[in-house]
Amino acid sequence: MALELTGVARRYGDVRAVDGVDLTVPDGRTVALLGPSGCGKSTLLRLVAGLEPPDAGRIALDGRDLAGVPPQDRNVGMVFQDYALFPHLSVADNVAFGLVERRWSTERRRARVAELVERMGLTGTEGRRPHELSGGQQQRVALARALAPRPSLLLLDEPLSNLDRTLRDDLTRDLARLLSGLEVRAIHVTHDQDEAFRLADRVALMREGRIVQEGTPDRVVEEPRDAWAVRFLGLRELVPPTAARALGFDGPVLLRTERFVPAVDGQPFEVREAVRIGPEFELTLFAPAWGFDLRWRVRPRELGHDPRVGDVLHLAVPDAAWTPLGVPA
Ligand code: ADP
């Protein structure tokens, strides 16, 4: 069983916000929809939620065509960017909200709220209002509210994007743990690569209304489809096109510097910048033989000393470090 999108499109005047999307989200999987601001992620989520209709294409959940099905009848839970908790309602009433709408009996409602409050680690906060909670607790209330009616699909619209970096890292971990224990299908919209890779089993890269690549996080990083994907993923390993041509490649190529190994008979590289990042150094190296700069990360003990600007390092570059990309830029 799955959520299946086929040829889904939505335009606003001349803007093709969503431009023919095919995507499948299997049971128990989290797919991160990753793309720059304005590429159509939120629009796609709204179409799936039924908040607006597509102009073309089909959206089916577990084989059922959702065309014309109103949002409340889609069995889809949503967590918004700002959580959109009801400020005047207690935690328990926020969590119960969808159950009241669906006319669950008081007894069933109480039991379900208690179960979620416990599961989300919110015990003791039931009577509080949202403003009396931490950011992390608010996030969990929003998640509990979305999960309460047992949706068969969870939509997360940049739920972490308004937070500062430290809190965000903590909450990403929390959310990853919660999602992996829930076995619920989820689409997680984000423009943040780290978040997508930590939370999702699969990543769909979206650009200008289209999904340009979809796969496991490893696969997407190992085999980015084109130069745009490389830049967007921040891989910083793309060989400058003129240098690539000079080296005999007829399309874009990545140089995987993590495959470089120090070796006395290796090729010389000049250290142009050395920045310590935790236990490692990130070096900007100039390769005289190739005529371009590249980045390489290394632990001082691999070199036997702390690298300094001006040093010349000898590194073996295995053939496998060169990865031509399938599609020309
Ligand atoms: P993202 O979520 O990736 O930032 P959006 O889905 O919000 O992207 O927007 C995709 C494109 O559609 C943008 O160019 C945006 O300006 C446009 N757009 C989105 N919603 C509307 C709307 N209600 N009316 C007009 N244009 C819209």
Side-chain angles (χ1 to χ4, degrees), residues 18 32 54 57 74 85-86 108 125 128 153 178 186 208 214 235 239 262 292 298 311:
V18 172
R74 289 191 174 207
L85 296 175
F86 303 110
R108 269 184 83 207
T125 67
R128 293 199 210 156
L153 174 70
L178 288 169
E208 293 173 3
E214 200 266 339
L235 297 176
V239 174
F292 61 90
V298 67
D311 284 356

Side-chain angles (χ1 to χ4, degrees), residues 90-91 125 127-134 137-138:
S90 67
V91 166
T125 67
R128 293 199 210 156
R129 302 278 169 86
H131 74 269
E132 299 168 307
L133 301 174
S134 70
Q137 289 170 326
Q138 289 179 29

